[in-house]
Amino acid sequence: MEDLIFESGAISTITINRPKALNALNRAVLEEITRVLRDVRHDASVRVLIVTGAGDRAFVAGADIAAMADMEIVEGLEFTRLGHRVMHTFEELPIPVIAAVNGFALGGGLELALACDLIIASEKARFGQPEINLGIIPGFGGTQRLPHRIGHARARELIMTGEMFDAKSGCEWGLVNKVVAPDQLIPETRKLAEKLASKSGFALRQAKAALRAAATMEEDAGLRFEQNTFGGLFACADKREGMKAFLEKREAKWQHK
Ligand code: HXC
């Protein structure tokens, strides 16, 4: 599919490729992402996934407004549910997902970035939930994930005013992990991806699951989840190898299990 480019490898990349519409997400693109994520999930050789947008103007400027303009209630509901399934699938992937935000990340675009584990942003990136200006509200998870990520006060202000913010603010608020010059976005993102790919994939998977629990569980249940997950790792090859390698003062050779 032309609107989505998938480059497969240990570090795989999904590029939303509708630059003329600032990479707006329509149903076809969301369905294609679903298909690609299913393949990624079942391919053990993929260690890290990068998500980005084509061109130099946008990551994703939101859900496709032209497509939504003609939708009635049933289509609207189906569209939000499809988007939610996609965002949930990103969160449930057993590998780290990095959003490389090159430009506008608005509405569904910010919601897509929020479903990723880490966000690297170009100095030119602009974020926001401008849905209020269209007479709607965020519909791919933003009303829930944004307050979790940056706190209720700021999320309320952003969703109610629809105002945009820059990468530097995103970094100060704990949304963005790193801000880089535009020409450094992909090299810096790949550098981070390579660092992650050098870890035990199995331990990373458990770390991601436990970090997810922090967002989805009550604290008591989350703390129990951590204990059980931690304990489980002691039955695994990578724990034995990691500690043995440390004691023998050498690099660990991960089996990812
Ligand atoms: C469809 C879009 C689009 C979008 C931009 N375009 N955003 N098309 N859906 N979300 C198209 C424009 O129509 C235009 O097409 C082309 O991309 C370039 O955009 P311009 O507006 O000409 O560029 P510029 O003046 O630089 O302004 C950039 C912008 C603006 C500030 C990003 O495009 C904008 O405000 N876009 C909408 C952002 C938004 O409201 N996103 C939230 C959507 S709702 P033509 O053919 O004229 O060249 C949403 C809900 C999610 O995401 C949940 C759903 C269930």
mmCIF file of all heavy atoms in Angstrom, residues 20-22 24 57 61-66 68 79-80 104 106-108 111 130-131 134 136 138-140 164, ligand 1:
data_model
loop_
_atom_site.group_PDB
_atom_site.id
_atom_site.type_symbol
_atom_site.label_atom_id
_atom_site.label_comp_id
_atom_site.label_asym_id
_atom_site.label_seq_id
_atom_site.Cartn_x
_atom_site.Cartn_y
_atom_site.Cartn_z
ATOM 1 N N LYS A 20 0.844 14.904 1.118
ATOM 2 C CA LYS A 20 -0.023 15.985 0.612
ATOM 3 C C LYS A 20 -1.147 16.298 1.582
ATOM 4 O O LYS A 20 -1.683 17.416 1.601
ATOM 5 C CB LYS A 20 -0.599 15.602 -0.755
ATOM 6 C CG LYS A 20 0.424 15.727 -1.855
ATOM 7 C CD LYS A 20 -0.198 15.568 -3.220
ATOM 8 C CE LYS A 20 0.895 15.554 -4.283
ATOM 9 N NZ LYS A 20 0.680 14.520 -5.288
ATOM 10 N N ALA A 21 -1.558 15.321 2.374
ATOM 11 C CA ALA A 21 -2.601 15.543 3.398
ATOM 12 C C ALA A 21 -1.955 15.566 4.782
ATOM 13 O O ALA A 21 -2.608 15.265 5.784
ATOM 14 C CB ALA A 21 -3.657 14.449 3.309
ATOM 15 N N LEU A 22 -0.673 15.932 4.834
ATOM 16 C CA LEU A 22 0.101 15.965 6.089
ATOM 17 C C LEU A 22 -0.050 14.653 6.873
ATOM 18 O O LEU A 22 -0.153 14.638 8.094
ATOM 19 C CB LEU A 22 -0.297 17.187 6.939
ATOM 20 C CG LEU A 22 -0.094 18.561 6.268
ATOM 21 C CD1 LEU A 22 -0.380 19.689 7.260
ATOM 22 C CD2 LEU A 22 1.296 18.721 5.691
ATOM 23 N N ALA A 24 -2.445 12.540 7.206
ATOM 24 C CA ALA A 24 -3.680 12.306 7.972
ATOM 25 C C ALA A 24 -4.073 10.827 7.892
ATOM 26 O O ALA A 24 -3.891 10.157 6.876
ATOM 27 C CB ALA A 24 -4.799 13.187 7.423
ATOM 28 N N ARG A 57 7.061 18.041 6.810
ATOM 29 C CA ARG A 57 6.097 18.936 7.453
ATOM 30 C C ARG A 57 5.329 18.286 8.597
ATOM 31 O O ARG A 57 4.969 18.959 9.546
ATOM 32 C CB ARG A 57 5.084 19.451 6.415
ATOM 33 C CG ARG A 57 5.730 20.325 5.339
ATOM 34 C CD ARG A 57 4.750 21.328 4.807
ATOM 35 N NE ARG A 57 4.195 22.154 5.865
ATOM 36 C CZ ARG A 57 2.950 22.611 5.891
ATOM 37 N NH1 ARG A 57 2.118 22.320 4.910
ATOM 38 N NH2 ARG A 57 2.536 23.347 6.888
ATOM 39 N N ALA A 61 -0.961 14.828 10.925
ATOM 40 C CA ALA A 61 -1.726 16.028 11.312
ATOM 41 C C ALA A 61 -3.117 15.683 11.821
ATOM 42 O O ALA A 61 -3.979 16.563 11.914
ATOM 43 C CB ALA A 61 -1.801 17.012 10.152
ATOM 44 N N GLY A 62 -3.337 14.404 12.113
ATOM 45 C CA GLY A 62 -4.611 14.028 12.727
ATOM 46 C C GLY A 62 -5.332 12.976 11.926
ATOM 47 O O GLY A 62 -4.823 12.476 10.916
ATOM 48 N N ALA A 63 -6.532 12.638 12.397
ATOM 49 C CA ALA A 63 -7.407 11.790 11.598
ATOM 50 C C ALA A 63 -7.825 12.622 10.387
ATOM 51 O O ALA A 63 -7.805 13.861 10.427
ATOM 52 C CB ALA A 63 -8.614 11.382 12.422
ATOM 53 N N ASP A 64 -8.187 11.928 9.299
ATOM 54 C CA ASP A 64 -8.505 12.608 8.039
ATOM 55 C C ASP A 64 -9.848 13.342 8.151
ATOM 56 O O ASP A 64 -10.904 12.708 8.220
ATOM 57 C CB ASP A 64 -8.542 11.564 6.914
ATOM 58 C CG ASP A 64 -8.606 12.228 5.558
ATOM 59 O OD1 ASP A 64 -9.317 13.245 5.418
ATOM 60 O OD2 ASP A 64 -7.937 11.739 4.631
ATOM 61 N N ILE A 65 -9.758 14.678 8.166
ATOM 62 C CA ILE A 65 -10.958 15.485 8.377
ATOM 63 C C ILE A 65 -11.907 15.355 7.177
ATOM 64 O O ILE A 65 -13.129 15.291 7.347
ATOM 65 C CB ILE A 65 -10.578 16.964 8.625
ATOM 66 C CG1 ILE A 65 -9.704 17.067 9.891
ATOM 67 C CG2 ILE A 65 -11.825 17.834 8.780
ATOM 68 C CD1 ILE A 65 -9.037 18.421 10.097
ATOM 69 N N ALA A 66 -11.339 15.274 5.965
ATOM 70 C CA ALA A 66 -12.193 15.140 4.774
ATOM 71 C C ALA A 66 -13.009 13.847 4.863
ATOM 72 O O ALA A 66 -14.196 13.816 4.498
ATOM 73 C CB ALA A 66 -11.335 15.157 3.512
ATOM 74 N N MET A 68 -13.802 12.254 7.687
ATOM 75 C CA MET A 68 -14.742 12.297 8.821
ATOM 76 C C MET A 68 -15.942 13.210 8.548
ATOM 77 O O MET A 68 -17.011 13.031 9.137
ATOM 78 C CB MET A 68 -14.018 12.790 10.094
ATOM 79 C CG MET A 68 -13.128 11.749 10.727
ATOM 80 S SD MET A 68 -12.553 12.285 12.362
ATOM 81 C CE MET A 68 -11.540 13.707 11.940
ATOM 82 N N PHE A 79 -15.087 4.334 13.409
ATOM 83 C CA PHE A 79 -13.772 4.953 13.175
ATOM 84 C C PHE A 79 -13.003 5.112 14.489
ATOM 85 O O PHE A 79 -11.820 4.786 14.566
ATOM 86 C CB PHE A 79 -13.981 6.305 12.479
ATOM 87 C CG PHE A 79 -12.722 6.912 11.937
ATOM 88 C CD1 PHE A 79 -11.877 6.186 11.095
ATOM 89 C CD2 PHE A 79 -12.377 8.221 12.248
ATOM 90 C CE1 PHE A 79 -10.713 6.761 10.589
ATOM 91 C CE2 PHE A 79 -11.226 8.800 11.739
ATOM 92 C CZ PHE A 79 -10.388 8.075 10.912
ATOM 93 N N THR A 80 -13.671 5.600 15.524
ATOM 94 C CA THR A 80 -12.977 5.749 16.816
ATOM 95 C C THR A 80 -12.556 4.370 17.337
ATOM 96 O O THR A 80 -11.453 4.199 17.860
ATOM 97 C CB THR A 80 -13.808 6.538 17.852
ATOM 98 O OG1 THR A 80 -13.090 6.591 19.087
ATOM 99 C CG2 THR A 80 -15.165 5.968 18.136
ATOM 100 N N PHE A 104 4.126 18.296 12.357
ATOM 101 C CA PHE A 104 2.857 18.326 13.098
ATOM 102 C C PHE A 104 2.483 16.941 13.643
ATOM 103 O O PHE A 104 2.490 15.951 12.908
ATOM 104 C CB PHE A 104 1.718 18.798 12.187
ATOM 105 C CG PHE A 104 1.820 20.246 11.789
ATOM 106 C CD1 PHE A 104 2.106 20.615 10.486
ATOM 107 C CD2 PHE A 104 1.619 21.249 12.732
ATOM 108 C CE1 PHE A 104 2.198 21.954 10.125
ATOM 109 C CE2 PHE A 104 1.712 22.598 12.386
ATOM 110 C CZ PHE A 104 2.013 22.948 11.073
ATOM 111 N N LEU A 106 -0.743 16.238 15.482
ATOM 112 C CA LEU A 106 -1.972 16.858 15.974
ATOM 113 C C LEU A 106 -3.091 15.832 16.060
ATOM 114 O O LEU A 106 -3.144 14.891 15.251
ATOM 115 C CB LEU A 106 -2.407 17.986 15.023
ATOM 116 C CG LEU A 106 -1.375 19.098 14.807
ATOM 117 C CD1 LEU A 106 -1.865 20.070 13.737
ATOM 118 C CD2 LEU A 106 -1.088 19.837 16.116
ATOM 119 N N GLY A 107 -3.998 16.020 16.993
ATOM 120 C CA GLY A 107 -5.157 15.134 17.099
ATOM 121 C C GLY A 107 -4.723 13.680 17.143
ATOM 122 O O GLY A 107 -3.921 13.268 17.997
ATOM 123 N N GLY A 108 -5.234 12.897 16.166
ATOM 124 C CA GLY A 108 -4.868 11.484 16.091
ATOM 125 C C GLY A 108 -3.368 11.262 15.955
ATOM 126 O O GLY A 108 -2.875 10.183 16.283
ATOM 127 N N GLU A 111 -2.102 11.381 19.400
ATOM 128 C CA GLU A 111 -2.581 10.148 20.042
ATOM 129 C C GLU A 111 -1.755 8.936 19.602
ATOM 130 O O GLU A 111 -1.482 8.032 20.400
ATOM 131 C CB GLU A 111 -4.070 9.966 19.737
ATOM 132 C CG GLU A 111 -4.893 11.059 20.434
ATOM 133 C CD GLU A 111 -6.337 11.121 19.988
ATOM 134 O OE1 GLU A 111 -6.575 11.321 18.781
ATOM 135 O OE2 GLU A 111 -7.225 10.971 20.837
ATOM 136 N N PRO A 130 -6.254 19.576 18.638
ATOM 137 C CA PRO A 130 -7.105 20.683 18.191
ATOM 138 C C PRO A 130 -8.552 20.287 17.886
ATOM 139 O O PRO A 130 -9.305 21.087 17.315
ATOM 140 C CB PRO A 130 -6.396 21.146 16.910
ATOM 141 C CG PRO A 130 -5.742 19.919 16.384
ATOM 142 C CD PRO A 130 -5.432 19.030 17.547
ATOM 143 N N GLU A 131 -8.972 19.077 18.288
ATOM 144 C CA GLU A 131 -10.300 18.589 17.912
ATOM 145 C C GLU A 131 -11.426 19.542 18.301
ATOM 146 O O GLU A 131 -12.440 19.638 17.613
ATOM 147 C CB GLU A 131 -10.561 17.209 18.563
ATOM 148 C CG GLU A 131 -9.777 16.066 17.936
ATOM 149 C CD GLU A 131 -8.425 15.824 18.592
ATOM 150 O OE1 GLU A 131 -7.912 16.728 19.284
ATOM 151 O OE2 GLU A 131 -7.890 14.715 18.403
ATOM 152 N N LEU A 134 -12.961 21.593 15.791
ATOM 153 C CA LEU A 134 -13.775 20.930 14.765
ATOM 154 C C LEU A 134 -15.126 20.512 15.343
ATOM 155 O O LEU A 134 -15.906 19.817 14.684
ATOM 156 C CB LEU A 134 -13.047 19.680 14.246
ATOM 157 C CG LEU A 134 -11.689 19.883 13.573
ATOM 158 C CD1 LEU A 134 -10.964 18.541 13.416
ATOM 159 C CD2 LEU A 134 -11.857 20.550 12.211
ATOM 160 N N ILE A 136 -15.437 18.468 17.895
ATOM 161 C CA ILE A 136 -15.351 17.090 18.419
ATOM 162 C C ILE A 136 -14.332 17.055 19.563
ATOM 163 O O ILE A 136 -13.832 18.104 19.976
ATOM 164 C CB ILE A 136 -14.977 16.057 17.312
ATOM 165 C CG1 ILE A 136 -13.633 16.420 16.648
ATOM 166 C CG2 ILE A 136 -16.099 15.945 16.288
ATOM 167 C CD1 ILE A 136 -13.080 15.334 15.723
ATOM 168 N N PRO A 138 -10.876 14.517 21.254
ATOM 169 C CA PRO A 138 -9.949 13.457 20.838
ATOM 170 C C PRO A 138 -10.664 12.103 20.840
ATOM 171 O O PRO A 138 -11.465 11.827 21.745
ATOM 172 C CB PRO A 138 -8.856 13.506 21.913
ATOM 173 C CG PRO A 138 -8.886 14.918 22.418
ATOM 174 C CD PRO A 138 -10.341 15.300 22.387
ATOM 175 N N GLY A 139 -10.361 11.278 19.833
ATOM 176 C CA GLY A 139 -11.099 10.014 19.714
ATOM 177 C C GLY A 139 -10.222 8.803 19.510
ATOM 178 O O GLY A 139 -10.717 7.707 19.256
ATOM 179 N N PHE A 140 -8.904 8.985 19.584
ATOM 180 C CA PHE A 140 -8.000 7.824 19.519
ATOM 181 C C PHE A 140 -7.262 7.678 20.858
ATOM 182 O O PHE A 140 -6.100 7.262 20.902
ATOM 183 C CB PHE A 140 -6.975 7.961 18.378
ATOM 184 C CG PHE A 140 -7.528 7.866 16.982
ATOM 185 C CD1 PHE A 140 -6.763 8.268 15.878
ATOM 186 C CD2 PHE A 140 -8.789 7.356 16.726
ATOM 187 C CE1 PHE A 140 -7.246 8.179 14.583
ATOM 188 C CE2 PHE A 140 -9.296 7.267 15.427
ATOM 189 C CZ PHE A 140 -8.513 7.683 14.356
ATOM 190 N N MET A 164 -1.668 24.538 20.257
ATOM 191 C CA MET A 164 -0.498 23.699 19.962
ATOM 192 C C MET A 164 0.647 24.026 20.922
ATOM 193 O O MET A 164 0.681 25.107 21.509
ATOM 194 C CB MET A 164 -0.003 23.959 18.551
ATOM 195 C CG MET A 164 -0.950 23.483 17.474
ATOM 196 S SD MET A 164 -0.095 23.602 15.882
ATOM 197 C CE MET A 164 -1.458 24.009 14.817
HETATM 198 C C1 HXC B 1 -7.183 15.901 6.215
HETATM 199 C C2 HXC B 1 -5.525 17.483 6.235
HETATM 200 C C3 HXC B 1 -5.413 17.376 7.631
HETATM 201 C C4 HXC B 1 -6.256 16.453 8.305
HETATM 202 C C5 HXC B 1 -4.010 18.843 6.934
HETATM 203 N N1 HXC B 1 -4.644 18.390 5.852
HETATM 204 N N2 HXC B 1 -4.460 18.241 8.035
HETATM 205 N N3 HXC B 1 -6.400 16.752 5.533
HETATM 206 N N4 HXC B 1 -7.121 15.758 7.545
HETATM 207 N N5 HXC B 1 -6.188 16.243 9.618
HETATM 208 C C6 HXC B 1 -4.448 18.820 4.455
HETATM 209 C C7 HXC B 1 -5.023 20.201 4.179
HETATM 210 O O1 HXC B 1 -6.392 20.112 3.943
HETATM 211 C C8 HXC B 1 -4.245 20.579 2.951
HETATM 212 O O2 HXC B 1 -4.796 19.932 1.824
HETATM 213 C C9 HXC B 1 -2.872 19.979 3.208
HETATM 214 O O3 HXC B 1 -3.062 18.954 4.187
HETATM 215 C C10 HXC B 1 -1.873 20.988 3.775
HETATM 216 O O4 HXC B 1 -2.455 21.612 4.904
HETATM 217 P P1 HXC B 1 -2.620 23.194 5.039
HETATM 218 O O5 HXC B 1 -3.719 23.429 5.983
HETATM 219 O O6 HXC B 1 -2.726 23.836 3.699
HETATM 220 O O7 HXC B 1 -1.207 23.564 5.693
HETATM 221 P P2 HXC B 1 -0.895 24.738 6.718
HETATM 222 O O8 HXC B 1 -1.619 26.004 6.343
HETATM 223 O O9 HXC B 1 0.565 24.792 6.845
HETATM 224 O O10 HXC B 1 -1.512 24.255 8.100
HETATM 225 C C11 HXC B 1 -1.013 23.052 8.743
HETATM 226 C C12 HXC B 1 -1.982 22.642 9.863
HETATM 227 C C13 HXC B 1 -3.415 22.545 9.302
HETATM 228 C C14 HXC B 1 -1.916 23.677 11.000
HETATM 229 C C15 HXC B 1 -1.494 21.290 10.393
HETATM 230 O O11 HXC B 1 -3.379 21.712 8.149
HETATM 231 C C16 HXC B 1 -4.405 21.965 10.270
HETATM 232 O O12 HXC B 1 -4.860 22.652 11.189
HETATM 233 N N6 HXC B 1 -4.772 20.695 10.048
HETATM 234 C C17 HXC B 1 -5.803 20.046 10.814
HETATM 235 C C18 HXC B 1 -5.261 19.595 12.139
HETATM 236 C C19 HXC B 1 -6.355 18.940 12.993
HETATM 237 O O13 HXC B 1 -7.389 19.581 13.276
HETATM 238 N N7 HXC B 1 -6.144 17.705 13.382
HETATM 239 C C20 HXC B 1 -7.087 16.968 14.208
HETATM 240 C C21 HXC B 1 -8.023 16.234 13.314
HETATM 241 S S1 HXC B 1 -9.307 15.423 14.224
HETATM 242 P P3 HXC B 1 -5.040 20.702 0.433
HETATM 243 O O14 HXC B 1 -5.698 19.661 -0.413
HETATM 244 O O15 HXC B 1 -5.884 21.883 0.737
HETATM 245 O O16 HXC B 1 -3.654 21.047 -0.005
HETATM 246 C C22 HXC B 1 -8.603 14.061 14.848
HETATM 247 C C23 HXC B 1 -9.530 13.174 15.639
HETATM 248 C C24 HXC B 1 -8.901 11.859 16.012
HETATM 249 O O17 HXC B 1 -7.465 13.797 14.695
HETATM 250 C C25 HXC B 1 -9.961 10.863 16.456
HETATM 251 C C26 HXC B 1 -10.877 10.413 15.410
HETATM 252 C C27 HXC B 1 -11.857 9.344 15.836
#
